[in-house]
Amino acid sequence: MEELNDFNEEREESTFDLKAELYKYLAYWKWILFGFLMGGLIAYLYNRYTIPKYRTGATMMIVDDQEKNAMNATPSGGGAIFSLQDDGIQNHIEKLRSKQLIESVVDELDHNISYFIEGNVIAVEAYKSSPVLIEFITPDSLVHSVSKSLVVTPTSDTSFMLEEEASGYSKNHSIGEVINLDNLQFTILPKSGEEEGTFRKTSPVTIKIQSLRSVAANYIGKLQIAQKGQAKDILALSLVQEIPKKSEDFLAKLMERFNEEGVKDKQEVAENTTKFIQDRLEMITTELDSVEVNIADFKRENQIMDVSSGASQFQSKFTAAEQEVFNLETQLQLLNSVEDLLKSQGDYELLPDVGISEGGVSGLANSYNSLLMERNMYLEGGTERNPVVQTLTQQLDSLRENLFENIESTRRSINVRLRELNQRGNMAQGQFSNFPGLEKGMRSIERQQQIKEQLYLFLLQRREEAAISFAATASVARVVDAAFTNNEPVDPKPWLILVGGFLIGLIIPILVIFLKNLLDTKVHHKGELSGLTKHIPFIGEVPRVGKEQNQRIELNDRTPLAESFRILRTNLAYLFQNKNKDRGEVIFVTSTIKGEGKTFISYNMARTLASTGKKVLLVGADIRNPKLHRYGEISDTAPKGLSDYLYDLDVTEKEIISVEKEAGIKVDMVLSGPIPPNPAELLMNDRLESLLEYAAQIYDFVLVDTAPTMIVTDTLLISPLADTTLYVVRSDFTDKKMLDFSKELKQQGKLKSPAIILNDVDYSKFSYGANYGYSYGYGYGYGVDKESRWQRIKNKMSGSK
């Protein structure tokens, strides 16, 4: 036995067995197949009753303002006044996704009101094909803020039942009747063009009213916009919904509204410019009239008609200087005009670009207009508390201050240059001291007249350009591809869903089995005893016995239970080969905890050994929790038990040995007797050793049913008295962690010659080799003819008849 034990300690076994792992799952093949089929069925039903979704797309190109503006056709290229700084393609994308724009589209298309026709399984939306229509009398501002679900069930050609689940409303109404429901006034009308008598035959219709804000938010979440083309000026819009026509209408209207908003912004700039120019023209006309009156008065007072003939030489020398003075004074007048406008107009209004070439004022004015239009765009979808609006407001205030500073610095620069030109004129004037002062006064008045006339003509030209720009404002975007829908649905993908359903149905039961195995800490088969059998020999397994089956070995028994104990008896014989033949073998049967079947093993092992003609004595040494009396029927000749013998020195061995009444297999037994208050002390005295020595001289085998080793110390106290210890482990009951306890007992020498028996193995779960039970073993008795499958089917059919 020691040699066999050493062999097991040195033996190395594989830590992973692929077939073993596979058989863990194949044991539940019915559940795996059920999950596989159920997953496929659910996927089929999903495909069958899920409304498909289609992708609708459209393409639009953003028009470049600099190239497409109609004002470029004017002689002065005046379109630069009204062209806006490029907002960038991302700004256009944000405008398309803006809440204000989306809400206006939803409102115009009435997409916040949906009609659903009840089907056998699901309700299908009837877009523009509903047999009934709802018309609201309540203002749109109130309708756009409510959410309701109304069910219209026709009861006749002129009446219907109206139900609203949320409020519990249910009442009959006539077609065209004004209905009041929660501050809403509306009428229900049949769709025009229907044949007479068809209204009452229509299925119930659910009218779903949603708030405009929630519908717009839903569209914003679904709307996808991406850039296309190398120039990145083409936008691809797409929408995935169940109703293709609804998506097409939305995208078409969205592009239309986007164009309208862009044109409106451009025309607003043109209107403000025209208004500013008209105001300036009126003021300059008054000033020009005043200058002409001054000329007439000057000539009348000095009695002259033409003084230019006498100053030809002076004029030729100073023409260039005067022209420069004229230009500078013109710019100075424009600066004053823009400054007056900035001071007189309200905050955050658009500025005109009047063509000031000095100081970069025109560039600052264009930047101011661009920021102001961007701020107005964000205010349409939000409030002044929006962080972006606040940032733009700060930038506008800063730019406005810069404009004032720039105008002032430019004016100072112009004045400096004018002073320089005047100084040159004064120096030249000294050379013409004889020239009459009359010429100078006349020239000054005429110069003022020319300035006013030039400014007047300049503004007239700008007014015409502004009018042309307003009338011929170009579109912001051009539709490249109108909204269209792909024929193939985006969701669901039937084959993908079906394959996914089968896979999920297959994976879920496998995952459940995996988690069950992962959380399971019980011993189930011999393969899970590999760590223990390296140290302690394994001599066999005992199959599970049903409640209706006999749990006792009988004479000539050919059941799987009897065959398993015969194998145990054979394997046990190898442990006795080198033992002393002069006395019987003392075999202890124990386990780790209560309930592992040590008494069951003890009793049936004793009967199996006795069936070969050997004399066997079975001793119930578990005097704390005796169970041996439950097996068999004991004669009344021995009323005393082991505890009586250990306590009372007058009781002899023969007085406690009893014989089973039932004939067949003869097994003598020593029952446990009364439960004593001090079982450990009783077992420690010499009486038990004397009893075992006595029995070993008379019997061939003495089997001792002892107490569990982990719960009490009784078995460890008497362990040296045994020749062999059978250690019982129960399948589906013993925790794997407890195996370490029996291993420690072996290593510490507290058990004498231990051997492992695996009890209560359920062979219906395993069919692979020795690790999972001997599949060739206990299903039928040796020598019994096995019925063929065809024979069993015929027997069942004949029995059913």
Side-chain angles (χ1 to χ4, degrees), residues 704-756:
V704 182
D705 178 26
T706 63
T709 56
M710 180 178 282
I711 299 177
V712 293
T713 187
D714 298 1
T715 301
L716 302 181
L717 293 175
I718 61 176
S719 176
L721 304 179
D723 296 322
T724 301
T725 303
L726 300 182
Y727 204 95
V728 180
V729 176
R730 184 173 180 180
S731 175
D732 298 338
F733 183 83
T734 304
D735 198 292
K736 295 176 183 177
K737 294 181 180 179
M738 294 182 181
L739 300 178
D740 294 334
F741 179 74
S742 57
K743 186 191 304 182
E744 292 173 1
L745 294 179
K746 170 63 172 64
Q747 292 173 346
Q748 297 170 6
K750 294 182 178 181
L751 291 180
K752 193 170 181 180
S753 301
I756 300 297

Side-chain angles (χ1 to χ4, degrees), residues 90-161:
Q90 288 298 328
N91 286 346
H92 291 298
I93 293 176
E94 291 302 321
K95 289 177 184 177
L96 283 167
R97 296 175 62 90
S98 65
K99 184 176 64 175
Q100 178 268 337
L101 183 61
I102 300 293
E103 286 184 357
S104 66
V105 173
V106 173
D107 183 21
E108 189 169 349
L109 296 176
D110 288 333
H111 279 189
N112 58 320
I113 303 174
S114 305
Y115 301 87
F116 295 87
I117 298 178
E118 299 292 337
N120 295 328
V121 179
I122 58 176
V124 180
E125 183 175 357
Y127 182 68
K128 293 187 176 179
S129 61
S130 171
V132 299
L133 298 174
I134 185 171
E135 292 186 358
F136 286 97
I137 303 174
T138 305
D140 290 343
S141 58
L142 181 60
V143 176
H144 291 165
S145 62
V146 301
S147 296
K148 285 189 175 297
S149 181
L150 308 176
V151 180
V152 177
T153 305
T155 56
S156 68
D157 286 339
T158 58
S159 63
F160 58 90
M161 172 72 73

Side-chain angles (χ1 to χ4, degrees), residues 321-529:
E322 289 181 359
Q323 182 64 38
E324 187 173 358
V325 170
F326 165 73
N327 291 335
L328 291 176
E329 290 184 351
T330 300
Q331 293 293 317
L332 195 61
Q333 289 288 336
L334 291 175
L335 283 173
N336 292 334
S337 300
V338 173
E339 185 179 27
D340 293 339
L341 175 65
L342 281 172
K343 292 178 179 179
S344 62
Q345 74 176 5
D347 293 335
Y348 312 121
E349 292 185 7
L350 293 170
L351 296 177
D353 185 352
V354 293
I356 299 175
S357 60
E358 295 290 328
V361 175
S362 294
L364 290 175
N366 286 337
S367 299
Y368 184 89
N369 286 341
S370 296
L371 289 175
L372 182 58
M373 292 183 64
E374 187 175 357
R375 178 179 181 270
N376 292 337
M377 185 270 290
Y378 280 105
L379 283 175
E380 289 179 357
T383 64
E384 292 185 353
R385 297 181 179 178
N386 190 318
V388 178
V389 174
Q390 292 179 352
T391 301
L392 292 174
T393 301
Q394 294 175 0
Q395 293 178 1
L396 286 170
D397 294 338
S398 176
L399 195 58
R400 185 182 182 91
E401 293 177 2
N402 290 340
L403 270 172
F404 280 108
E405 293 175 0
N406 191 275
I407 290 172
E408 181 62 27
S409 63
T410 303
R411 182 189 294 113
R412 287 197 296 269
S413 176
I414 292 174
N415 287 331
V416 169
R417 292 169 64 184
L418 284 175
R419 282 196 298 271
E420 291 178 355
L421 291 173
N422 290 329
Q423 289 175 1
R424 293 177 185 176
N426 292 332
M427 292 174 62
Q429 189 68 29
Q431 298 176 2
F432 298 94
S433 57
N434 296 327
F435 191 83
L438 181 64
E439 181 70 18
K440 180 180 178 181
M442 189 64 187
R443 179 62 62 187
S444 176
I445 296 173
E446 289 178 349
R447 186 168 57 213
Q448 291 294 327
Q449 183 186 26
Q450 291 175 0
I451 292 172
K452 299 299 182 182
E453 288 177 350
Q454 289 291 334
L455 185 60
Y456 183 79
L457 294 175
F458 175 79
L459 291 176
L460 282 177
Q461 181 182 0
R462 292 297 184 182
R463 185 177 67 178
E464 293 304 316
E465 291 174 354
I468 295 173
S469 177
F470 181 82
T473 304
S475 299
V476 177
R478 185 171 70 248
V479 177
V480 178
D481 288 325
F484 65 95
T485 302
N486 296 326
N487 294 329
E488 289 294 326
V490 176
D491 181 51
K493 299 286 187 181
W495 283 107
L496 182 62
I497 296 296
L498 194 61
V499 172
F502 278 118
L503 288 178
I504 294 175
L506 182 65
I507 290 172
I508 288 178
I510 292 177
L511 183 61
V512 171
I513 296 170
F514 171 77
L515 293 176
K516 176 181 178 296
N517 293 334
L518 184 65
L519 300 175
D520 187 8
T521 61
K522 304 298 182 182
V523 174
H524 300 287
H525 50 77
K526 177 187 173 183
E528 295 176 339
L529 299 175

Side-chain angles (χ1 to χ4, degrees), residues 229 310 618:
L618 179 57

Side-chain angles (χ1 to χ4, degrees), residues 167-203:
S167 61
Y169 182 88
S170 179
K171 191 175 180 181
N172 277 312
H173 294 280
S174 300
I175 291 176
E177 177 185 349
V178 177
I179 302 172
N180 289 281
L181 179 61
D182 295 338
N183 298 325
L184 286 180
Q185 289 187 334
F186 56 89
T187 60
I188 301 294
L189 300 173
K191 187 176 181 180
S192 60
E194 296 289 339
E195 296 181 3
E196 185 177 355
T198 58
F199 177 72
R200 62 180 176 182
K201 298 178 182 179
T202 59
S203 301

